[in-house]
Amino acid sequence: MITLALTVNPVFNTPINAEICEGGSYDFFGQTLTTAGTYTHTLQSVHGCDSIITLTLTVNPVFNTPLTAEICDGGSYNFFGQTLTTAGTYTHTLQSVHGCDSVITLTLVVNPVYNTPLNVSICNGNSYDFFGQTLTCGHVHPHDTVCPRL
């Protein structure tokens, strides 16, 4: 009589979840992964049975947010605690909820301030409306035909 003692060794299935940021990579048993998906790798257990590792890779986005702002010459713009006074492109990097970069790019425009002198003459007894302010001649000699410049 022959008695057989049969041992059934287990096959191991190991799930792994991993996350990377967009533009990043994940090394999976020598394979460089850059896209989201499900990947498997088979090893042999100590008993010669398959040991399957299943990786679920998530690629989290990197956010790039463009902003445009305008200030007047001589003014300033507060950009995350930095006081900006000159035109240009500025960046600030934050971390998203998944730990990936969130880059804010500001294009700052500095508009000129114009100082335009006006030379106005009015006749005696007349007035000049200067943006809602009425200007009149002061003391004018009766022989003058032109009021002094305002």
PDB file of all heavy atoms in Angstrom, residues 106-130:
ATOM      1  N   LEU A 106       1.953  84.100 -13.196  1.00  0.00           N
ATOM      2  CA  LEU A 106       1.364  85.434 -13.292  1.00  0.00           C
ATOM      3  C   LEU A 106       2.090  86.237 -14.354  1.00  0.00           C
ATOM      4  O   LEU A 106       3.321  86.318 -14.345  1.00  0.00           O
ATOM      5  CB  LEU A 106       1.473  86.164 -11.950  1.00  0.00           C
ATOM      6  CG  LEU A 106       1.137  87.652 -11.967  1.00  0.00           C
ATOM      7  CD1 LEU A 106      -0.356  87.872 -12.214  1.00  0.00           C
ATOM      8  CD2 LEU A 106       1.561  88.306 -10.661  1.00  0.00           C
ATOM      9  N   THR A 107       1.328  86.830 -15.272  1.00  0.00           N
ATOM     10  CA  THR A 107       1.867  87.801 -16.209  1.00  0.00           C
ATOM     11  C   THR A 107       1.384  89.157 -15.721  1.00  0.00           C
ATOM     12  O   THR A 107       0.183  89.434 -15.743  1.00  0.00           O
ATOM     13  CB  THR A 107       1.385  87.530 -17.642  1.00  0.00           C
ATOM     14  OG1 THR A 107       1.798  86.219 -18.017  1.00  0.00           O
ATOM     15  CG2 THR A 107       1.966  88.537 -18.615  1.00  0.00           C
ATOM     16  N   LEU A 108       2.319  89.975 -15.258  1.00  0.00           N
ATOM     17  CA  LEU A 108       1.979  91.288 -14.702  1.00  0.00           C
ATOM     18  C   LEU A 108       2.271  92.367 -15.737  1.00  0.00           C
ATOM     19  O   LEU A 108       3.382  92.440 -16.280  1.00  0.00           O
ATOM     20  CB  LEU A 108       2.770  91.550 -13.422  1.00  0.00           C
ATOM     21  CG  LEU A 108       2.457  92.864 -12.704  1.00  0.00           C
ATOM     22  CD1 LEU A 108       1.003  92.889 -12.221  1.00  0.00           C
ATOM     23  CD2 LEU A 108       3.400  93.063 -11.529  1.00  0.00           C
ATOM     24  N   VAL A 109       1.265  93.182 -16.013  1.00  0.00           N
ATOM     25  CA  VAL A 109       1.377  94.293 -16.950  1.00  0.00           C
ATOM     26  C   VAL A 109       1.350  95.585 -16.141  1.00  0.00           C
ATOM     27  O   VAL A 109       0.501  95.748 -15.269  1.00  0.00           O
ATOM     28  CB  VAL A 109       0.211  94.272 -17.970  1.00  0.00           C
ATOM     29  CG1 VAL A 109       0.271  95.467 -18.895  1.00  0.00           C
ATOM     30  CG2 VAL A 109       0.215  92.969 -18.751  1.00  0.00           C
ATOM     31  N   VAL A 110       2.299  96.477 -16.420  1.00  0.00           N
ATOM     32  CA  VAL A 110       2.324  97.780 -15.761  1.00  0.00           C
ATOM     33  C   VAL A 110       1.916  98.823 -16.795  1.00  0.00           C
ATOM     34  O   VAL A 110       2.625  99.050 -17.782  1.00  0.00           O
ATOM     35  CB  VAL A 110       3.715  98.101 -15.176  1.00  0.00           C
ATOM     36  CG1 VAL A 110       3.712  99.487 -14.540  1.00  0.00           C
ATOM     37  CG2 VAL A 110       4.116  97.049 -14.144  1.00  0.00           C
ATOM     38  N   ASN A 111       0.748  99.417 -16.573  1.00  0.00           N
ATOM     39  CA  ASN A 111       0.233 100.429 -17.493  1.00  0.00           C
ATOM     40  C   ASN A 111       0.781 101.807 -17.124  1.00  0.00           C
ATOM     41  O   ASN A 111       0.909 102.133 -15.946  1.00  0.00           O
ATOM     42  CB  ASN A 111      -1.300 100.455 -17.457  1.00  0.00           C
ATOM     43  CG  ASN A 111      -1.892  99.173 -17.979  1.00  0.00           C
ATOM     44  OD1 ASN A 111      -1.460  98.665 -18.999  1.00  0.00           O
ATOM     45  ND2 ASN A 111      -2.874  98.629 -17.268  1.00  0.00           N
ATOM     46  N   PRO A 112       1.090 102.632 -18.133  1.00  0.00           N
ATOM     47  CA  PRO A 112       1.646 103.955 -17.841  1.00  0.00           C
ATOM     48  C   PRO A 112       0.589 104.875 -17.240  1.00  0.00           C
ATOM     49  O   PRO A 112      -0.603 104.720 -17.470  1.00  0.00           O
ATOM     50  CB  PRO A 112       2.101 104.460 -19.218  1.00  0.00           C
ATOM     51  CG  PRO A 112       1.275 103.708 -20.196  1.00  0.00           C
ATOM     52  CD  PRO A 112       0.983 102.382 -19.573  1.00  0.00           C
ATOM     53  N   VAL A 113       1.066 105.832 -16.471  1.00  0.00           N
ATOM     54  CA  VAL A 113       0.228 106.900 -15.943  1.00  0.00           C
ATOM     55  C   VAL A 113       0.548 108.136 -16.769  1.00  0.00           C
ATOM     56  O   VAL A 113       1.717 108.506 -16.912  1.00  0.00           O
ATOM     57  CB  VAL A 113       0.518 107.148 -14.445  1.00  0.00           C
ATOM     58  CG1 VAL A 113      -0.263 108.354 -13.946  1.00  0.00           C
ATOM     59  CG2 VAL A 113       0.171 105.917 -13.637  1.00  0.00           C
ATOM     60  N   TYR A 114      -0.460 108.750 -17.352  1.00  0.00           N
ATOM     61  CA  TYR A 114      -0.248 109.893 -18.222  1.00  0.00           C
ATOM     62  C   TYR A 114      -0.448 111.188 -17.451  1.00  0.00           C
ATOM     63  O   TYR A 114      -1.395 111.341 -16.691  1.00  0.00           O
ATOM     64  CB  TYR A 114      -1.211 109.846 -19.413  1.00  0.00           C
ATOM     65  CG  TYR A 114      -0.981 108.637 -20.288  1.00  0.00           C
ATOM     66  CD1 TYR A 114      -1.818 107.530 -20.213  1.00  0.00           C
ATOM     67  CD2 TYR A 114       0.083 108.593 -21.159  1.00  0.00           C
ATOM     68  CE1 TYR A 114      -1.589 106.404 -20.997  1.00  0.00           C
ATOM     69  CE2 TYR A 114       0.320 107.482 -21.960  1.00  0.00           C
ATOM     70  CZ  TYR A 114      -0.520 106.397 -21.873  1.00  0.00           C
ATOM     71  OH  TYR A 114      -0.295 105.297 -22.647  1.00  0.00           O
ATOM     72  N   ASN A 115       0.443 112.132 -17.660  1.00  0.00           N
ATOM     73  CA  ASN A 115       0.342 113.478 -17.084  1.00  0.00           C
ATOM     74  C   ASN A 115       0.307 114.428 -18.273  1.00  0.00           C
ATOM     75  O   ASN A 115       1.330 114.684 -18.908  1.00  0.00           O
ATOM     76  CB  ASN A 115       1.539 113.763 -16.167  1.00  0.00           C
ATOM     77  CG  ASN A 115       1.414 115.105 -15.493  1.00  0.00           C
ATOM     78  OD1 ASN A 115       0.400 115.778 -15.604  1.00  0.00           O
ATOM     79  ND2 ASN A 115       2.472 115.503 -14.806  1.00  0.00           N
ATOM     80  N   THR A 116      -0.886 114.911 -18.581  1.00  0.00           N
ATOM     81  CA  THR A 116      -1.072 115.727 -19.765  1.00  0.00           C
ATOM     82  C   THR A 116      -1.336 117.171 -19.345  1.00  0.00           C
ATOM     83  O   THR A 116      -2.398 117.485 -18.800  1.00  0.00           O
ATOM     84  CB  THR A 116      -2.261 115.216 -20.599  1.00  0.00           C
ATOM     85  OG1 THR A 116      -2.049 113.829 -20.865  1.00  0.00           O
ATOM     86  CG2 THR A 116      -2.402 115.969 -21.896  1.00  0.00           C
ATOM     87  N   PRO A 117      -0.378 118.079 -19.591  1.00  0.00           N
ATOM     88  CA  PRO A 117      -0.615 119.494 -19.248  1.00  0.00           C
ATOM     89  C   PRO A 117      -1.564 120.127 -20.266  1.00  0.00           C
ATOM     90  O   PRO A 117      -1.504 119.841 -21.464  1.00  0.00           O
ATOM     91  CB  PRO A 117       0.778 120.116 -19.320  1.00  0.00           C
ATOM     92  CG  PRO A 117       1.554 119.226 -20.220  1.00  0.00           C
ATOM     93  CD  PRO A 117       0.957 117.854 -20.105  1.00  0.00           C
ATOM     94  N   LEU A 118      -2.469 120.972 -19.782  1.00  0.00           N
ATOM     95  CA  LEU A 118      -3.399 121.700 -20.640  1.00  0.00           C
ATOM     96  C   LEU A 118      -3.127 123.184 -20.490  1.00  0.00           C
ATOM     97  O   LEU A 118      -2.997 123.692 -19.369  1.00  0.00           O
ATOM     98  CB  LEU A 118      -4.849 121.414 -20.241  1.00  0.00           C
ATOM     99  CG  LEU A 118      -5.367 119.996 -20.412  1.00  0.00           C
ATOM    100  CD1 LEU A 118      -6.798 119.893 -19.873  1.00  0.00           C
ATOM    101  CD2 LEU A 118      -5.350 119.608 -21.880  1.00  0.00           C
ATOM    102  N   ASN A 119      -3.046 123.890 -21.591  1.00  0.00           N
ATOM    103  CA  ASN A 119      -2.940 125.349 -21.586  1.00  0.00           C
ATOM    104  C   ASN A 119      -4.263 125.888 -22.098  1.00  0.00           C
ATOM    105  O   ASN A 119      -4.637 125.649 -23.241  1.00  0.00           O
ATOM    106  CB  ASN A 119      -1.794 125.818 -22.483  1.00  0.00           C
ATOM    107  CG  ASN A 119      -0.454 125.394 -21.921  1.00  0.00           C
ATOM    108  OD1 ASN A 119      -0.238 125.463 -20.717  1.00  0.00           O
ATOM    109  ND2 ASN A 119       0.442 124.953 -22.784  1.00  0.00           N
ATOM    110  N   VAL A 120      -4.991 126.586 -21.226  1.00  0.00           N
ATOM    111  CA  VAL A 120      -6.312 127.077 -21.567  1.00  0.00           C
ATOM    112  C   VAL A 120      -6.355 128.578 -21.320  1.00  0.00           C
ATOM    113  O   VAL A 120      -5.884 129.059 -20.282  1.00  0.00           O
ATOM    114  CB  VAL A 120      -7.395 126.373 -20.722  1.00  0.00           C
ATOM    115  CG1 VAL A 120      -8.771 126.918 -21.030  1.00  0.00           C
ATOM    116  CG2 VAL A 120      -7.345 124.875 -20.956  1.00  0.00           C
ATOM    117  N   SER A 121      -6.916 129.289 -22.248  1.00  0.00           N
ATOM    118  CA  SER A 121      -7.142 130.724 -22.082  1.00  0.00           C
ATOM    119  C   SER A 121      -8.634 130.977 -22.202  1.00  0.00           C
ATOM    120  O   SER A 121      -9.312 130.390 -23.040  1.00  0.00           O
ATOM    121  CB  SER A 121      -6.406 131.517 -23.167  1.00  0.00           C
ATOM    122  OG  SER A 121      -5.027 131.332 -23.054  1.00  0.00           O
ATOM    123  N   ILE A 122      -9.144 131.860 -21.359  1.00  0.00           N
ATOM    124  CA  ILE A 122     -10.546 132.244 -21.446  1.00  0.00           C
ATOM    125  C   ILE A 122     -10.631 133.756 -21.400  1.00  0.00           C
ATOM    126  O   ILE A 122      -9.703 134.434 -20.928  1.00  0.00           O
ATOM    127  CB  ILE A 122     -11.395 131.608 -20.323  1.00  0.00           C
ATOM    128  CG1 ILE A 122     -10.909 132.032 -18.943  1.00  0.00           C
ATOM    129  CG2 ILE A 122     -11.441 130.104 -20.453  1.00  0.00           C
ATOM    130  CD1 ILE A 122     -11.809 131.558 -17.812  1.00  0.00           C
ATOM    131  N   CYS A 123     -11.702 134.275 -21.871  1.00  0.00           N
ATOM    132  CA  CYS A 123     -11.912 135.723 -21.865  1.00  0.00           C
ATOM    133  C   CYS A 123     -12.520 136.152 -20.546  1.00  0.00           C
ATOM    134  O   CYS A 123     -13.138 135.356 -19.835  1.00  0.00           O
ATOM    135  CB  CYS A 123     -12.831 136.128 -23.022  1.00  0.00           C
ATOM    136  SG  CYS A 123     -12.091 135.806 -24.621  1.00  0.00           S
ATOM    137  N   ASN A 124     -12.356 137.442 -20.251  1.00  0.00           N
ATOM    138  CA  ASN A 124     -12.877 138.034 -19.025  1.00  0.00           C
ATOM    139  C   ASN A 124     -14.367 137.746 -18.903  1.00  0.00           C
ATOM    140  O   ASN A 124     -15.115 137.916 -19.852  1.00  0.00           O
ATOM    141  CB  ASN A 124     -12.613 139.546 -19.044  1.00  0.00           C
ATOM    142  CG  ASN A 124     -12.921 140.164 -17.696  1.00  0.00           C
ATOM    143  OD1 ASN A 124     -13.051 139.468 -16.705  1.00  0.00           O
ATOM    144  ND2 ASN A 124     -13.029 141.475 -17.672  1.00  0.00           N
ATOM    145  N   GLY A 125     -14.742 137.243 -17.758  1.00  0.00           N
ATOM    146  CA  GLY A 125     -16.138 136.965 -17.495  1.00  0.00           C
ATOM    147  C   GLY A 125     -16.554 135.553 -17.878  1.00  0.00           C
ATOM    148  O   GLY A 125     -17.652 135.130 -17.560  1.00  0.00           O
ATOM    149  N   ASN A 126     -15.705 134.836 -18.561  1.00  0.00           N
ATOM    150  CA  ASN A 126     -16.032 133.467 -18.944  1.00  0.00           C
ATOM    151  C   ASN A 126     -15.467 132.490 -17.908  1.00  0.00           C
ATOM    152  O   ASN A 126     -14.665 132.857 -17.057  1.00  0.00           O
ATOM    153  CB  ASN A 126     -15.463 133.137 -20.321  1.00  0.00           C
ATOM    154  CG  ASN A 126     -16.184 133.868 -21.425  1.00  0.00           C
ATOM    155  OD1 ASN A 126     -17.321 134.285 -21.263  1.00  0.00           O
ATOM    156  ND2 ASN A 126     -15.519 134.030 -22.559  1.00  0.00           N
ATOM    157  N   SER A 127     -15.871 131.266 -18.028  1.00  0.00           N
ATOM    158  CA  SER A 127     -15.378 130.225 -17.122  1.00  0.00           C
ATOM    159  C   SER A 127     -14.990 128.998 -17.954  1.00  0.00           C
ATOM    160  O   SER A 127     -15.318 128.892 -19.133  1.00  0.00           O
ATOM    161  CB  SER A 127     -16.428 129.862 -16.080  1.00  0.00           C
ATOM    162  OG  SER A 127     -17.578 129.351 -16.711  1.00  0.00           O
ATOM    163  N   TYR A 128     -14.281 128.100 -17.300  1.00  0.00           N
ATOM    164  CA  TYR A 128     -13.830 126.871 -17.966  1.00  0.00           C
ATOM    165  C   TYR A 128     -14.185 125.685 -17.077  1.00  0.00           C
ATOM    166  O   TYR A 128     -13.892 125.692 -15.874  1.00  0.00           O
ATOM    167  CB  TYR A 128     -12.309 126.930 -18.196  1.00  0.00           C
ATOM    168  CG  TYR A 128     -11.757 125.713 -18.889  1.00  0.00           C
ATOM    169  CD1 TYR A 128     -11.927 125.538 -20.250  1.00  0.00           C
ATOM    170  CD2 TYR A 128     -11.078 124.724 -18.180  1.00  0.00           C
ATOM    171  CE1 TYR A 128     -11.433 124.419 -20.899  1.00  0.00           C
ATOM    172  CE2 TYR A 128     -10.578 123.601 -18.821  1.00  0.00           C
ATOM    173  CZ  TYR A 128     -10.756 123.451 -20.186  1.00  0.00           C
ATOM    174  OH  TYR A 128     -10.263 122.346 -20.823  1.00  0.00           O
ATOM    175  N   ASP A 129     -14.841 124.688 -17.680  1.00  0.00           N
ATOM    176  CA  ASP A 129     -15.216 123.499 -16.933  1.00  0.00           C
ATOM    177  C   ASP A 129     -14.057 122.496 -17.007  1.00  0.00           C
ATOM    178  O   ASP A 129     -13.725 121.992 -18.068  1.00  0.00           O
ATOM    179  CB  ASP A 129     -16.483 122.866 -17.522  1.00  0.00           C
ATOM    180  CG  ASP A 129     -16.879 121.604 -16.776  1.00  0.00           C
ATOM    181  OD1 ASP A 129     -16.905 121.627 -15.525  1.00  0.00           O
ATOM    182  OD2 ASP A 129     -17.131 120.571 -17.441  1.00  0.00           O
ATOM    183  N   PHE A 130     -13.431 122.245 -15.858  1.00  0.00           N
ATOM    184  CA  PHE A 130     -12.295 121.327 -15.784  1.00  0.00           C
ATOM    185  C   PHE A 130     -12.738 120.098 -15.010  1.00  0.00           C
ATOM    186  O   PHE A 130     -12.663 120.035 -13.788  1.00  0.00           O
ATOM    187  CB  PHE A 130     -11.108 122.011 -15.106  1.00  0.00           C
ATOM    188  CG  PHE A 130      -9.856 121.166 -15.064  1.00  0.00           C
ATOM    189  CD1 PHE A 130      -9.186 120.860 -16.222  1.00  0.00           C
ATOM    190  CD2 PHE A 130      -9.370 120.678 -13.860  1.00  0.00           C
ATOM    191  CE1 PHE A 130      -8.032 120.088 -16.205  1.00  0.00           C
ATOM    192  CE2 PHE A 130      -8.219 119.894 -13.821  1.00  0.00           C
ATOM    193  CZ  PHE A 130      -7.548 119.609 -14.996  1.00  0.00           C
TER     194      PHE A 130
END
